[in-house]
Amino acid sequence: MTTSTIVFGIALGVAAGILSGLFGVGGGILFVPTLVALGLGQIEAQATSLLAVLPTVAVGAANQRRYGNLRPRTAVIVGVSSVLGVEVGARIATSVSETMLRRLFAVLLFVVAVQLVWSATRGRPRYADSP
């Protein structure tokens, strides 16, 4: 591992942390494309992202709980049920070609972007005190 890779990795971590805290985005949206750009394969980038997001999630959830924004029961239900989904997803990821996996990831990012644009243009805030 070169010094520039380490520096770039640290910069990625800081940027991902800031964006995760600001927007609540998952690490995969930020980490995977950057790790691929660093030279990792798609599967390695996805696996690395899964581990790298753990500290971000822990700190972010603790901070949001202090602000009163965390719904622990919902988080536990979603988290526990996602364990099965992660197992199935990892098996699928390792059974398809890396090119197909990269294309599927691109489709996911596109769908997320469309959903965000759609919800942002609807014009009504979710909470009454939102600007």
Side-chain angles (χ1 to χ4, degrees), residues 24-103:
V25 296
I29 291 175
L30 302 169
F31 288 141
V32 173
T34 307
L35 291 171
V36 168
L38 282 173
L40 273 67
Q42 185 72 25
I43 294 173
E44 291 87 4
Q46 289 177 198
T48 302
S49 172
L50 288 171
L51 181 59
V53 77
L54 287 176
T56 306
V57 168
V59 172
N63 283 330
Q64 290 298 338
R65 182 178 177 140
R66 280 189 306 158
Y67 299 135
N69 297 326
L70 183 67
R71 295 184 184 181
R73 190 175 318 160
T74 303
V76 169
I77 291 169
V78 171
V80 169
S81 62
S82 70
V83 170
L84 175 63
V86 166
E87 180 64 29
V88 172
R91 289 176 189 251
I92 293 170
T94 57
S95 69
V96 300
S97 72
E98 189 158 334
T99 301
M100 176 59 72
L101 191 58
R102 192 168 291 163
R103 288 177 182 160

